[in-house]
């Protein structure tokens, strides 16, 4: 045990640092590139995902730690006892090993693709005809838009744009003096050029530019070149999320710090090869980075080209190198030509993305936008697709005279511009757009449809674990419950009233809402299982676990003999199976074709079990500094469906890893049985039972269909 900043003893024997846990998660992403059951081009995409994940980690988390080190160097992480500088050192020590593994896998996957005729070429690999083609392409398409720059007395050092590529050149003038030159790789150019008459031979644009760099600096001789890429602190404004493990209020100090900072600092400088000592000295002298912040990576420094390559390949070749296409299904227990509202009134419904189609929810919204008895549609939005059908339906509803209230979160990181654009369009269509509560991001996923007729007011409420984004609903696993429960509907109505009046302390009968009550309610339910001792059971599926109070409560449950099973995809600061502390806690992580994103909280077994789906992970930011919702599931059939999801993932031996007491992960062993891939099973097995159509309705719909067909005009 160690003393924290308040002088209290903190036990770190069953917890681990958040940042190092995240790096282990990204390592599991990278390991998918080593899985021989994954198609070769998909394996290359996992390397690209690993790379973009690591970029964002440096931009946000490492940038935050550097800020924290500047304003509060003695602050201590509540899960490891490490101060900011110690965490940064651990990160910079760990990343080179991951980059080395990335290089090994990149070479292995590239060799597999080369067998199929797909090859990332250098100039020495080109035929005479291909060299002529490349020269023509450079002079006609590249050279006219280049802006090479020399660093000198009259040429200030360039500002390296975050994650942009540059060709750096070591120059020598006639007197022998050495200096640096830079050529920004133009963003307007395609990332690669597919060579003519080839199956998949290509040149990356930076390869072309580097080849011709010696011709671009006039009287200077180019002695060597390399590619560089700077990663900058991406927190452009104060965000309390970065300091979630600290109890101090850093707002004032951070605001002052940010006002003084003219440019966001460089947190990592990537170089594609070890330069000469002369060039290295000039680079590190020009840009304020320490040795540990310089990363040498011989693989492509930016990997967006992988997705352009996939599009450029012929259809047949692309199909042979990627996952078989999967079309989300319409749930069998929903009848396509029947009113969605009427079907939900009869029984609660569950959608399981991406295995189920998002179309039933779109159909529900569309029906609500047209029905005369619908008075209003209210919805929370965190991220939207760039071509959002949901937003367009909301606009149509407002144009049809419905009251449409949209709680739009403008602070969704890296989606700010998209959300601002959609908020303007929604307002122009007549929607009432509000922007949440100051200092609290609204991350909840709630849609409330209010109907009014002669019998009174009725609600259809949809609660989800993922964003209202049709694009990510085909890539992320998420859950969506649609219910006509008057209790949940009344809570939904109260929630929107509270949001409109900046009231975070509202009370709800069924919904668990952060930041006011969600954490306390979860801890109370854990206490309920602790009271049962060895008869107690908890199962939690989430993306991340960092909240110290929840971690400690789960440790109490383990010590009381409660069986705790957890499916945690990413960060997990709780270390399981530590003797006498967390020995009854077992944690699995699944990384596969789809991003595991659903959250399910289960307390108890059998008919007494309580089930919730939620927008919140068990993170300090979600439970204390965001507006989140966990919704109870009361329908027995949906409970069975959720139990099936959890049981299937707990049995996964193809894509699952066990978290060890040490903090390391081990792949599950399939044993004597064939490996079980839970995502593959969900693609092949539906959760839903078909709902029979009553005979009278079936005959009526058939008769109506026949009459409609007879009325259609016929060609003579």
């Amino acid at each position: 045990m160690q003393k924290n900043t308040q002088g209290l003893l903190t036990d770190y024997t069953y917890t681990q640092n958040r940042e190092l846990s995240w790096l282990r998660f990204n390592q599991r992403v990278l390991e998918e590139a080593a899985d021989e059951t994954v198609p070769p081009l998909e394996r290359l995409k996992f390397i690209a995902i690993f790379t973009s994940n690591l970029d964002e980690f440096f931009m946000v988390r490492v940038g935050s730690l550097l800020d924290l080190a500047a304003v509060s160097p003695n602050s201590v992480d509540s899960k490891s006892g490490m101060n900011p500088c110690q965490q940064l050192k651990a990160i910079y020590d760990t990343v080179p090993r991951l980059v080395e593994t990335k290089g090994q896998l990149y070479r292995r996957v590239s060799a597999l693709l080369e067998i199929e005729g797909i090859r990332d070429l250098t100039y020495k690999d080109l035929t005479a005809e291909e060299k002529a083609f490349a020269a023509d392409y450079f002079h006609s398409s590249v050279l006219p838009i280049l802006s090479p720059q020399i660093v000198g007395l009259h040429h200030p050092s360039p500002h390296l744009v975050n994650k942009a590529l540059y060709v750096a050149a070591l120059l020598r003038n006639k007197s022998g003096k050495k200096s640096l030159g830079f050529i920004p790789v133009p963003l307007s150019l395609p990332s690669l050029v597919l060579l003519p008459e080839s199956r998949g031979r290509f040149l990356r644009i930076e390869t072309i530019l580097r080849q011709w760099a010696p011709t671009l600096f006039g009287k200077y001789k180019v002695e060597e070149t390399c590619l560089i890429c700077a990663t900058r602190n991406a927190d452009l404004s104060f965000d309390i999320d970065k300091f979630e493990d600290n109890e101090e209020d850093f707002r004032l100090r951070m605001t002052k710090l940010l006002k003084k900072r003219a440019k966001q600092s460089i947190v990592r400088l990537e170089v594609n090869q070890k330069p000469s000592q002369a060039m290295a000295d000039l680079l590190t002298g020009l840009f304020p980075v320490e040795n540990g912040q310089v990363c040498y990576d011989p693989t492509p420094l930016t990997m967006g080209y992988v997705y352009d390559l996939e599009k450029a390949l012929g259809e047949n070749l692309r199909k042979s190198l990627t996952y078989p296409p999967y079309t989300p299904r319409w749930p069998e227990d929903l009848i396509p030509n029947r009113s969605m509202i009427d079907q939900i009134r009869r029984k609660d419904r569950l959608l399981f993305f991406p295995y189920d189609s998002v179309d039933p929810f779109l159909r529900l919204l569309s029906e609500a936008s047209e029905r005369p008895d619908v008075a209003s549609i209210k919805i929370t939005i965190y991220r939207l697709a760039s071509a959002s059908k949901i937003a367009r339906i909301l606009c149509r509803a407002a144009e049809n005279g419905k009251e449409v209230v949209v709680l739009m979160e403008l602070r969704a990181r890296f989606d700010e511009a998209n959300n601002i654009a959609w908020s303007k369009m929604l307002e122009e269509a007549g929607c009432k757009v509000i922007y949440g509560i100051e200092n609290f991001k609204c991350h909840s996923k709630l849609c409330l449809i209010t109907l009014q007729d002669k019998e009174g007011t009725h609600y259809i409420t949809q609660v989800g674990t993922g964003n209202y984004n049709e694009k990510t609903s085909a890539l992320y696993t998420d859950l969506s419950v649609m219910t006509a429960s008057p209790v949940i509907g009344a809570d939904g109505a109260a929630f929107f009233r509270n949001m409109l009046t900046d009231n975070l302390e509202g009370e709800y009968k069924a919904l668990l809402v952060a930041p006011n009550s969600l954490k306390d309610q979860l801890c109370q339910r854990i206490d309920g299982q602790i009271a049962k001792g060895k008869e107690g059971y908890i199962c939690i599926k989430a993306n991340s676990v960092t909240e110290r109070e929840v971690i400690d409560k789960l440790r109490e449950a383990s010590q009381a003999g409660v069986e705790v099973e957890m499916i945690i995809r990413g960060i997990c600061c709780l270390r399981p199976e530590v003797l006498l502390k967390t020995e009854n806690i077992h944690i699995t992580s699944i990384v596969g074709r789809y991003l595991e994103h659903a959250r399910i909280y289960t307390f108890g077994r059998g008919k007494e079990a309580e089930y919730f789906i939620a927008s919140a992970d068990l993170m300090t930011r979600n439970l204390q500094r965001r507006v989140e919702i966990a919704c109870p599931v009361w329908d027995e059939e949906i409970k069975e469906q959720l139990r099936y999801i959890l049981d299937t993932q707990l049995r996964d031996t193809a894509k699952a890893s066990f978290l060890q007491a040490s903090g390391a992960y081990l792949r599950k062993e399939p044993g004597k049985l064939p490996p079980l891939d839970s995502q593959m099973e969900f693609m092949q097995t539906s959760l839903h039972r078909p709902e029979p159509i009553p005979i009278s309705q079936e005959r009526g719909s058939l008769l109506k269909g026949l009459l409609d067909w007879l009325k259609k005009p016929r060609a003579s």
Side-chain angles (χ1 to χ4, degrees):
M1 292 194 182
Q2 297 180 25
K3 288 185 178 181
N4 61 18
T5 53
Q6 285 74 43
L8 302 175
L9 288 175
T10 303
D11 188 350
Y12 301 122
T13 59
Y14 56 91
T15 55
Q16 64 178 330
N17 179 260
R18 164 192 174 137
E19 318 306 344
L20 298 182
S21 177
W22 185 91
L23 287 172
R24 291 190 180 107
F25 155 67
N26 208 29
Q27 180 179 344
R28 297 195 296 282
V29 173
L30 187 59
E31 287 170 358
E32 285 299 292
D35 189 336
E36 294 181 358
T37 67
V38 176
L41 193 54
E42 301 291 353
R43 292 170 69 175
L44 187 63
K45 283 158 69 174
F46 274 112
I47 297 173
I49 293 167
F50 165 86
T51 302
S52 61
N53 284 350
L54 195 59
D55 291 343
E56 185 171 334
F57 175 76
F58 270 93
M59 284 189 276
V60 178
R61 295 306 305 177
V62 174
S64 300
L65 282 171
L66 287 166
D67 287 342
L68 189 56
V71 299
S72 189
N74 297 320
S75 62
V76 171
D77 167 41
S78 67
K79 272 79 70 177
S80 65
M82 300 166 71
N83 65 37
C85 288
Q86 290 170 330
Q87 294 180 69
L88 287 165
K89 183 180 185 304
I91 290 167
Y92 286 120
D93 286 347
T94 302
V95 167
R97 295 195 297 272
L98 294 176
V99 171
E100 183 180 354
T101 303
K102 169 193 167 186
Q104 294 168 356
L105 290 171
Y106 181 82
R107 290 188 291 275
R108 190 187 308 174
V109 174
S110 295
L112 290 174
L113 291 170
E114 191 171 339
I115 294 171
E116 302 294 333
I118 299 170
R119 187 174 178 189
D120 182 2
L121 301 165
T122 64
Y123 256 75
K124 67 180 181 181
D125 301 319
L126 302 182
T127 65
E129 293 80 5
E130 289 171 337
K131 287 180 179 177
F133 170 83
D136 181 65
Y137 181 81
F138 171 78
H139 287 98
S140 62
S141 300
V142 180
L143 182 60
I145 58 173
L146 291 182
S147 302
Q149 177 185 345
I150 297 169
V151 178
L153 291 175
H154 303 291
H155 303 280
S157 60
H159 173 74
L160 301 184
V161 176
N162 184 42
K163 287 308 299 175
L165 278 177
Y166 295 80
V167 175
L170 180 63
L171 309 177
R172 181 166 54 85
N173 63 16
K174 291 180 179 179
S175 63
K177 184 178 179 181
K178 294 183 178 180
S179 59
L180 289 175
F182 294 92
I183 311 167
V185 177
L187 295 176
S188 58
L189 291 173
S191 62
L192 59 84
V193 178
L194 202 64
L195 294 176
E197 307 299 325
S198 74
R199 182 175 167 88
R201 289 162 59 84
F202 66 92
L203 285 166
R204 284 181 284 122
I205 191 66
E206 59 264 34
T207 304
I208 297 173
L209 192 51
R210 194 176 175 193
Q211 173 67 22
W212 290 90
T215 68
L216 299 174
F217 290 98
K219 61 184 179 181
Y220 290 88
K221 180 181 179 182
V222 175
E223 295 198 337
E224 67 178 290
T225 64
C226 63
L227 292 166
I228 65 170
C229 181
T231 310
R232 292 184 176 275
N233 184 345
D235 277 334
L236 298 177
S237 60
F238 179 83
D239 185 348
I240 201 166
D241 285 355
K242 69 173 75 174
F243 303 125
E244 65 168 44
D245 292 326
N246 298 276
E247 297 176 5
E248 297 181 53
D249 180 7
F250 294 98
R251 179 173 307 281
L252 183 59
R253 279 182 286 169
M254 271 305 303
T255 302
K256 290 179 179 178
L257 176 70
L258 289 167
K259 285 181 179 177
K260 291 178 181 178
R261 187 166 56 201
K263 299 177 181 178
Q264 295 296 92
S265 58
I266 294 175
V267 297
R268 177 182 56 163
L269 182 67
E270 294 175 278
V271 187
N272 77 318
Q273 65 185 48
K274 279 265 189 182
S276 66
Q277 191 60 50
M279 189 170 191
D281 290 343
L282 286 170
L283 281 171
T284 54
L286 195 59
F287 303 110
V289 291
E290 299 177 6
N291 288 336
Q293 294 178 309
V294 180
C295 176
Y296 298 106
D297 185 354
T299 62
L301 301 183
T302 60
M303 294 197 65
Y305 81 90
V306 174
Y307 304 97
D308 293 334
L309 173 63
E310 182 180 19
K311 294 174 186 175
L313 297 177
E315 184 177 354
N316 291 335
L317 179 57
R318 183 168 60 247
K319 283 184 178 180
S320 68
L321 298 172
T322 56
Y323 288 122
Y326 176 76
T327 303
R329 55 185 167 249
W330 181 278
E332 292 87 343
D333 61 343
L334 285 169
I335 302 166
N337 60 357
R338 289 267 305 278
S339 160
M340 283 295 302
I341 289 175
D342 292 347
Q343 291 184 81
I344 295 167
R345 278 177 160 176
R346 289 181 58 190
K347 182 185 178 302
D348 293 355
R349 310 290 174 160
L350 175 72
L351 299 177
F352 185 22
F353 307 130
Y355 314 106
D356 293 333
S357 170
V358 73
D359 287 346
F361 176 67
L362 296 177
R363 189 82 60 87
L364 170 64
L365 270 187
S366 186
E367 180 185 348
S369 73
E370 304 288 346
R371 276 180 64 135
D373 56 345
V374 170
S376 68
I377 302 172
K378 299 175 183 178
I379 191 169
T380 61
I381 290 178
Y382 194 73
R383 299 187 195 275
L384 285 170
S386 55
S388 174
K389 295 179 182 177
I390 290 170
R392 296 190 186 282
I393 294 172
L394 294 173
C395 290
R396 189 168 77 242
E399 291 162 356
N400 288 343
K402 313 297 181 188
E403 180 194 20
V404 179
V405 176
V406 179
L407 199 169
M408 176 76 77
E409 181 51 71
L410 296 183
R411 293 163 293 185
R413 185 176 282 126
F414 304 127
D415 259 6
E416 298 91 342
N418 186 52
N419 285 3
I420 288 170
W422 274 118
S423 67
K424 291 178 180 177
M425 184 175 293
L426 289 163
E427 283 182 333
E428 289 171 1
C431 302
K432 181 175 183 178
V433 181
I434 59 175
Y435 300 108
I437 296 175
E438 186 178 0
N439 303 328
F440 291 85
K441 287 185 180 180
C442 184
H443 190 251
S444 54
K445 326 295 181 187
L446 178 70
C447 179
L448 180 71
I449 297 168
T450 304
L451 302 95
Q452 291 181 324
D453 56 27
K454 60 184 179 182
E455 296 178 0
T457 300
H458 315 279
Y459 300 108
I460 298 292
T461 312
Q462 180 273 337
V463 184
T465 66
N467 297 305
Y468 295 106
N469 185 323
E470 304 94 302
K471 183 177 180 180
T472 56
S473 71
L475 302 172
Y476 297 0
T477 73
D478 270 308
L479 296 162
S480 172
V481 167
M482 299 174 287
T483 178
S485 162
V487 176
I488 292 176
D491 273 2
F495 173 84
F496 281 103
R497 286 196 302 272
N498 289 330
M499 293 302 101
L500 285 163
T501 56
D502 290 352
N503 178 18
L504 290 174
E505 299 179 359
E507 296 184 359
Y508 305 92
K509 293 182 179 179
L511 298 179
L512 312 183
V513 181
N516 187 42
S517 64
L518 177 53
K519 185 173 76 170
D520 289 344
Q521 290 284 343
L522 292 178
C523 288
Q524 285 178 26
R525 282 164 172 81
I526 297 172
D527 281 333
Q529 297 306 305
I530 291 173
K532 297 179 182 179
K534 292 184 179 180
E535 300 301 314
Y537 177 75
I538 297 167
C539 187
I540 293 173
K541 175 176 167 60
N543 300 323
S544 300
V545 179
T546 69
E547 168 54 34
R548 180 81 208 205
E549 189 174 339
V550 173
I551 290 171
D552 290 343
K553 187 62 67 175
L554 290 169
R555 185 259 304 157
E556 285 182 43
S558 174
Q559 290 176 318
V562 177
E563 182 184 4
V564 181
E565 294 185 297
M566 305 180 76
I567 305 166
I568 309 299
R569 182 198 79 220
I571 302 165
C572 188
C573 293
L574 169 60
R575 290 197 282 125
E577 302 175 17
V578 175
L579 189 64
L580 301 179
K581 294 181 180 177
T582 59
E583 58 189 358
N584 292 311
I585 300 176
H586 311 286
I587 300 176
T588 293
S589 171
I590 294 175
V591 177
R593 173 174 178 173
Y594 299 118
L595 182 81
E596 292 292 336
H597 195 253
R599 291 95 166 184
I600 306 171
Y601 308 147
T602 309
F603 304 95
R605 287 190 173 96
K607 292 186 177 180
E608 295 182 357
E610 285 187 282
Y611 286 83
F612 296 84
I613 68 165
S615 62
D617 290 312
L618 301 181
M619 302 179 75
T620 304
R621 70 180 187 189
N622 296 94
L623 299 177
Q624 295 182 200
R625 287 188 279 275
R626 288 188 176 184
V627 179
E628 305 271 13
I629 289 176
C631 178
V633 174
W634 293 327
D635 183 275
E636 292 300 325
E637 188 173 327
I638 295 180
K639 286 183 181 181
E640 288 180 18
Q641 293 168 342
L642 296 180
R643 187 69 253 169
Y644 169 71
I645 292 170
L646 295 172
D647 286 344
T648 303
Q649 295 217 305
L650 289 168
R651 291 186 294 112
D652 192 307
T653 52
K655 298 298 182 181
S657 301
F658 276 132
L659 178 57
Q660 308 296 296
S662 65
Y665 284 82
L666 289 180
R667 284 278 186 170
K668 282 192 178 181
E669 293 294 333
K672 295 180 181 179
L673 298 174
L676 171 67
D677 184 333
S678 58
Q679 293 188 351
M680 184 67 70
E681 178 157 321
F682 295 142
M683 283 190 274
Q684 296 172 347
T685 307
S686 174
L687 295 178
H688 308 281
R689 299 172 184 169
E691 183 176 353
I693 306 174
I695 294 296
S696 59
Q697 292 182 18
E698 184 177 30
R699 286 175 178 166
S701 63
L702 288 172
L703 179 60
K704 182 178 184 300
L706 178 61
L707 290 172
D708 289 344
W709 181 81
L710 290 171
K711 290 177 183 177
K712 286 184 179 180
R714 298 284 179 264
S716 56

